Amino acid sequence: MAVADFIISLLTFIAIYSLFGIGLNLKFGFTGLIDFGHVAYFMIGAYVTVVLTMPAGAAGYSGIGGFALPELLGALGPLGSLLGWVLGVLGGMIAAALVSLAVGVPTLRLREDYLAITALGIATILTTVVNDEEWLFNGPFGINTIHTPLRDAFPLSLGGFTLNMVVFGVLSLAAFGLTGYWLVRAFQRQGRRGKIVFGVIVPLIAAWYFVLPTLSGGMVELTRNALWLFDPTAGPDGGMDYDRFVLLLSVAALGGGYWLVERTINSPYGRVLRAIREDEDVPRALGKETFQYKLQALMLGSALAGAAGALWALNIGFIAPDQFAATITFYAFTAVIVGGTANNKGVILGTAFFWGIRNGTRFIDVPSQYSIQLAAARLMLIGVVLILILYYRPEGLLGEQDYDIPLPSRDASGGTDDA
């Protein structure tokens, strides 16, 4: 696998799990809800989307399904098929939100630790039911009939080989430029210790992506990695393959989720959520229905997890209950804590860190008898780095973000400076 192809796969994972993590961050980071069952909504979004979009009578499937929304809207052309898939995703998000409503009504009045344990138990029950009841979603055999929107349009070619390489190459280089600009801005905001970290990690990643492939494959590999959106093997004239489209779709969904949560948090509504996190008695004393706010935050965060689940199903092409273990939630918690609780940029950074280590070390060449030890070593490495971050930067790599509408600060007399 070329480095560029691996990066496409890795970035898709990061985008999907970042969206999943932003939903968790809305619950935990901004509202103070410890939801150990967050993965259940990831699973619900995946299954409901697949069921709503898969064709009737799919081979090897005996559960509920076959609503074929893309086929029903296929008369509108390729965009109709895409619209059908989008409606399926919205259905998955709504289903996840409704299930979280049913879970939240009896549990959100519990204390934080009881809420966490109860949410984990409910998520485990839901996963067990999906696994054991084959009449629902085919049980442990899973579903491999996943609708892929606009699949027939790929590989996408704009004309000849040269035109494809130029257009997709310019877009690829523009993405590198934006990434470089963001890294420079981030570097300038760091302290001395942060600049040292940036000065070590960024050159190492650049060397791994550009220098090492050049040494092994020459200018061909260098060009392919630089023009990452262009796949010369995608059809007779090259172009953009479907995996790259899924990446762009995942990034667009992440951008939408990020924008939605940022607008929510940087508003008077978000200020109430943060006040609930700090001390629920204060907004309650001011007449706020804190239970309703917490329930709404739970539903919105769960809906985002459902959207991430739909993208996961599209990316993997197969779903089964054992893919939605409770450890997925704890992976997301790790990303949130590493990047910075109550910071959506930190969630993306923490997710990139976690999956970069976990997946980026899979291709280390070791003798087969040590493969199990390598898998354990990856998790140990993540654990060690997490401990170091918590020790030296307990607020996470980026810390809590600044807000357009901050909470009022307290003066020396115990009052607030908010008139």
Side-chain angles (χ1 to χ4, degrees):
M1 177 186 289
V3 175
D5 295 331
F6 169 71
I7 288 295
I8 295 297
S9 175
L10 178 61
L11 290 179
T12 305
F13 264 75
I14 291 172
I16 293 172
Y17 279 110
S18 293
L19 180 60
F20 179 69
I22 284 176
L24 179 63
N25 197 36
L26 177 62
K27 300 177 184 180
F28 171 63
F30 294 113
T31 316
L33 304 177
I34 306 176
D35 185 2
F36 285 167
H38 193 56
V39 70
Y41 312 113
F42 188 63
M43 178 185 70
I44 291 169
Y47 270 98
V48 172
T49 300
V50 169
V51 165
L52 290 176
T53 57
M54 69 185 299
Y61 181 74
S62 58
I64 300 172
F67 295 99
L69 289 180
E71 292 183 6
L72 293 177
L73 298 176
L76 301 177
L79 292 181
S81 176
L82 177 62
L83 177 60
W85 180 79
V86 171
L87 291 177
V89 174
L90 291 176
M93 295 174 66
I94 292 172
L98 291 178
V99 171
S100 71
L101 172 64
V103 171
V105 168
T107 60
L108 285 181
R109 301 185 190 278
L110 299 175
R111 217 172 58 196
E112 287 85 354
D113 46 356
Y114 291 112
L115 169 62
I117 296 171
T118 303
L120 177 60
I122 292 174
T124 303
I125 291 171
L126 289 174
T127 304
T128 302
V129 169
V130 171
N131 184 75
D132 293 347
E133 301 298 328
E134 293 186 22
W135 62 272
L136 278 175
F137 303 119
N138 219 33
F141 303 105
I143 307 175
N144 58 11
T145 307
I146 309 296
H147 177 73
T148 51
L150 300 181
R151 187 66 181 86
D152 294 338
F154 290 87
L156 181 63
S157 176
L158 304 177
F161 185 90
T162 303
L163 178 62
N164 285 327
M165 185 172 67
V166 170
V167 173
F168 292 118
V170 168
L171 293 175
S172 302
L173 296 177
F176 278 122
L178 290 175
T179 303
Y181 173 77
W182 180 83
L183 288 174
V184 170
R185 293 288 301 274
F187 178 81
Q188 293 172 344
R189 291 194 296 267
Q190 299 299 314
R192 184 178 64 87
R193 187 180 298 167
K195 289 182 178 179
I196 293 175
V197 173
F198 263 75
V200 172
I201 293 179
V202 173
L204 286 176
I205 294 175
W208 170 75
Y209 188 76
F210 290 109
V211 178
L212 293 181
T214 304
L215 295 177
S216 61
M219 292 301 297
V220 174
E221 283 299 312
L222 175 62
T223 303
R224 187 170 183 181
N225 288 338
L227 310 183
W228 58 276
L229 270 178
F230 175 70
D231 183 3
T233 64
D237 296 321
M240 186 172 71
D241 63 11
Y242 196 72
D243 290 339
R244 286 160 172 78
F245 169 71
V246 173
L247 168 61
L248 296 179
L249 193 63
S250 302
V251 170
L254 171 61
Y258 177 88
W259 175 84
L260 177 62
V261 174
E262 285 292 305
R263 288 294 300 269
T264 300
I265 293 305
N266 288 294
S267 68
Y269 178 88
R271 187 184 191 186
V272 175
L273 294 182
R274 302 195 315 270
I276 291 172
R277 178 196 64 190
E278 297 298 329
D279 187 349
E280 187 175 351
D281 291 335
V282 173
R284 186 185 293 125
L286 295 174
K288 302 296 184 182
E289 293 289 343
T290 57
F291 177 78
Q292 294 184 10
Y293 279 89
K294 292 194 294 183
L295 191 60
Q296 291 163 6
L298 181 71
M299 293 176 67
L300 179 55
S302 300
L304 293 176
L311 291 168
W312 166 265
L314 174 64
N315 182 50
I316 297 299
F318 172 78
I319 56 173
D322 58 2
Q323 296 174 343
F324 305 99
T327 51
I328 301 298
T329 297
F330 298 112
Y331 290 163
F333 266 105
T334 301
V336 170
I337 293 171
V338 167
T341 305
N343 190 324
N344 289 322
K345 294 185 181 70
V347 172
I348 298 173
L349 178 62
T351 304
F353 161 81
F354 180 88
W355 289 104
I357 292 180
R358 195 172 189 276
N359 285 7
T361 54
R362 284 186 176 182
F363 301 102
I364 297 177
D365 189 16
V366 297
S368 58
Q369 63 266 30
Y370 298 117
S371 58
I372 297 178
Q373 288 85 342
L374 176 61
R378 289 202 305 267
L379 294 179
M380 288 177 60
L381 176 61
I382 293 172
V384 169
V385 175
L386 177 60
I387 291 172
L388 292 175
I389 290 174
L390 291 177
Y391 183 79
Y392 289 104
R393 286 189 64 86
E395 71 277 14
L397 293 175
L398 298 184
E400 185 168 355
Q401 67 185 57
D402 297 325
Y403 303 101
D404 295 339
I405 305 180
L407 291 175
S409 59
R410 295 186 177 275
D411 58 27
S413 64
T416 69
D417 60 6
D418 197 22

